[in-house]
Amino acid sequence: MNLQKFRNGMVVILALPVFLAGCVTEGEVLRDKGYPQAYTEGYDDGCSSGKNAAGSMFDEFRKNVHRFQDDRDYHDGWQDGHDECKSQWKEAMHEIERSQDNYKRDKYRY
Protein backbone atom coordinates (compact mmCIF):
# COMPACT_ATOMS: atom_id res chain seq x y z
CA MET A 1 0.00 0.00 0.00
CA ASN A 2 2.79 2.44 0.82
CA LEU A 3 4.40 1.73 -2.55
CA GLN A 4 1.12 2.50 -4.34
CA LYS A 5 0.74 5.73 -2.38
CA PHE A 6 4.30 6.71 -3.25
CA ARG A 7 3.78 5.88 -6.94
CA ASN A 8 0.60 7.95 -7.15
CA GLY A 9 2.28 10.87 -5.46
CA MET A 10 5.21 10.65 -7.84
CA VAL A 11 2.90 10.62 -10.86
CA VAL A 12 1.37 13.89 -9.72
CA ILE A 13 4.69 15.45 -8.76
CA LEU A 14 6.42 14.49 -12.00
CA ALA A 15 3.57 14.91 -14.45
CA LEU A 16 2.06 18.20 -13.35
CA PRO A 17 5.07 20.46 -14.05
CA VAL A 18 5.49 18.87 -17.47
CA PHE A 19 1.93 19.68 -18.39
CA LEU A 20 1.99 23.10 -16.78
CA ALA A 21 4.93 24.02 -18.97
CA GLY A 22 3.88 21.84 -21.91
CA CYS A 23 3.43 24.63 -24.45
CA VAL A 24 5.58 27.33 -22.89
CA THR A 25 8.58 26.61 -25.12
CA GLU A 26 6.67 25.14 -28.04
CA GLY A 27 6.74 28.48 -29.89
CA GLU A 28 10.52 28.51 -29.64
CA VAL A 29 10.70 24.95 -30.91
CA LEU A 30 8.44 25.83 -33.83
CA ARG A 31 10.50 28.96 -34.63
CA ASP A 32 13.63 26.80 -34.70
CA LYS A 33 11.87 24.53 -37.18
CA GLY A 34 11.23 27.48 -39.49
CA TYR A 35 7.62 28.35 -38.69
CA PRO A 36 6.76 32.04 -39.19
CA GLN A 37 6.93 34.22 -36.09
CA ALA A 38 3.24 35.15 -36.42
CA TYR A 39 2.34 31.45 -36.34
CA THR A 40 4.45 30.77 -33.25
CA GLU A 41 3.08 33.81 -31.42
CA GLY A 42 -0.43 32.64 -32.24
CA TYR A 43 0.47 29.13 -31.10
CA ASP A 44 1.70 30.39 -27.73
CA ASP A 45 -1.42 32.52 -27.23
CA GLY A 46 -3.69 29.67 -28.30
CA CYS A 47 -1.87 27.23 -26.05
CA SER A 48 -2.37 29.40 -22.99
CA SER A 49 -6.02 29.86 -23.94
CA GLY A 50 -6.51 26.13 -24.53
CA LYS A 51 -5.12 25.18 -21.14
CA ASN A 52 -7.30 27.85 -19.56
CA ALA A 53 -10.36 26.48 -21.36
CA ALA A 54 -9.52 22.99 -20.08
CA GLY A 55 -9.48 24.23 -16.49
CA SER A 56 -5.93 25.37 -15.79
CA MET A 57 -5.86 28.11 -13.21
CA PHE A 58 -2.24 28.83 -14.13
CA ASP A 59 -2.95 30.01 -17.68
CA GLU A 60 -5.00 32.85 -19.08
CA PHE A 61 -7.06 33.36 -22.19
CA ARG A 62 -4.95 35.24 -24.73
CA LYS A 63 -6.00 36.19 -28.24
CA ASN A 64 -5.12 39.21 -30.30
CA VAL A 65 -8.49 39.53 -32.02
CA HIS A 66 -7.28 41.85 -34.78
CA ARG A 67 -4.37 39.57 -35.67
CA PHE A 68 -6.62 36.52 -35.42
CA GLN A 69 -8.95 38.06 -38.01
CA ASP A 70 -6.34 39.61 -40.29
CA ASP A 71 -3.21 37.43 -40.06
CA ARG A 72 -3.65 33.90 -41.38
CA ASP A 73 -0.42 32.63 -39.78
CA TYR A 74 -1.40 33.96 -36.33
CA HIS A 75 -4.92 32.53 -36.78
CA ASP A 76 -3.69 29.07 -37.74
CA GLY A 77 -1.06 29.05 -34.97
CA TRP A 78 -3.61 30.14 -32.37
CA GLN A 79 -6.08 27.45 -33.43
CA ASP A 80 -3.41 24.72 -33.48
CA GLY A 81 -1.99 25.76 -30.10
CA HIS A 82 -5.45 25.99 -28.54
CA ASP A 83 -6.53 22.56 -29.72
CA GLU A 84 -3.26 20.79 -28.87
CA CYS A 85 -2.75 22.26 -25.40
CA LYS A 86 -6.40 21.91 -24.41
CA SER A 87 -6.22 18.24 -25.32
CA GLN A 88 -2.92 17.74 -23.46
CA TRP A 89 -4.21 19.47 -20.33
CA LYS A 90 -7.42 17.43 -20.27
CA GLU A 91 -5.47 14.20 -20.70
CA ALA A 92 -3.11 15.15 -17.85
CA MET A 93 -6.02 15.85 -15.53
CA HIS A 94 -7.69 12.56 -16.47
CA GLU A 95 -4.44 10.71 -15.73
CA ILE A 96 -4.21 12.32 -12.30
CA GLU A 97 -7.85 11.45 -11.59
CA ARG A 98 -7.24 7.83 -12.67
CA SER A 99 -4.23 7.63 -10.35
CA GLN A 100 -6.27 9.00 -7.46
CA ASP A 101 -9.12 6.58 -8.17
CA ASN A 102 -6.67 3.66 -8.26
CA TYR A 103 -5.19 4.77 -4.96
CA LYS A 104 -8.62 4.99 -3.33
CA ARG A 105 -9.59 1.59 -4.70
CA ASP A 106 -6.34 -0.04 -3.59
CA LYS A 107 -6.42 1.67 -0.21
CA TYR A 108 -9.58 -0.18 0.77
CA ARG A 109 -8.64 -3.46 -0.88
CA TYR A 110 -6.21 -4.52 1.85
Side-chain angles (χ1 to χ4, degrees):
M1 176 148 134
N2 289 335
L3 182 61
Q4 181 69 25
K5 188 177 193 180
F6 175 77
R7 185 180 68 83
N8 288 338
M10 290 305 294
V11 166
V12 172
I13 290 169
L14 296 175
L16 193 56
V18 171
F19 290 105
L20 291 177
C23 296
V24 172
T25 61
E26 188 64 27
E28 294 171 3
V29 171
L30 294 172
R31 272 190 291 279
D32 290 345
K33 290 182 178 182
Y35 283 83
Q37 184 166 345
Y39 179 90
T40 62
E41 290 170 356
Y43 190 97
D44 285 341
D45 287 352
C47 185
S48 180
S49 301
K51 289 189 281 187
N52 178 268
S56 170
M57 62 183 161
F58 305 105
D59 297 281
E60 62 185 4
F61 181 85
R62 294 191 322 231
K63 181 192 269 186
N64 183 321
V65 177
H66 296 293
R67 285 183 79 186
F68 187 82
Q69 293 172 342
D70 298 335
D71 185 337
R72 189 66 182 169
D73 286 336
Y74 179 88
H75 176 276
D76 291 348
W78 191 95
Q79 200 64 58
D80 290 347
H82 181 271
D83 295 346
E84 179 67 24
C85 293
K86 182 178 179 180
S87 174
Q88 286 176 356
W89 186 263
K90 282 185 173 183
E91 181 56 36
M93 294 302 101
H94 288 305
E95 183 61 35
I96 290 169
E97 288 172 9
R98 281 192 293 270
S99 292
Q100 290 173 341
D101 289 345
N102 288 341
Y103 170 71
K104 289 176 187 173
R105 184 191 67 231
D106 292 344
K107 180 179 176 181
Y108 296 108
R109 182 181 292 175
Y110 300 105

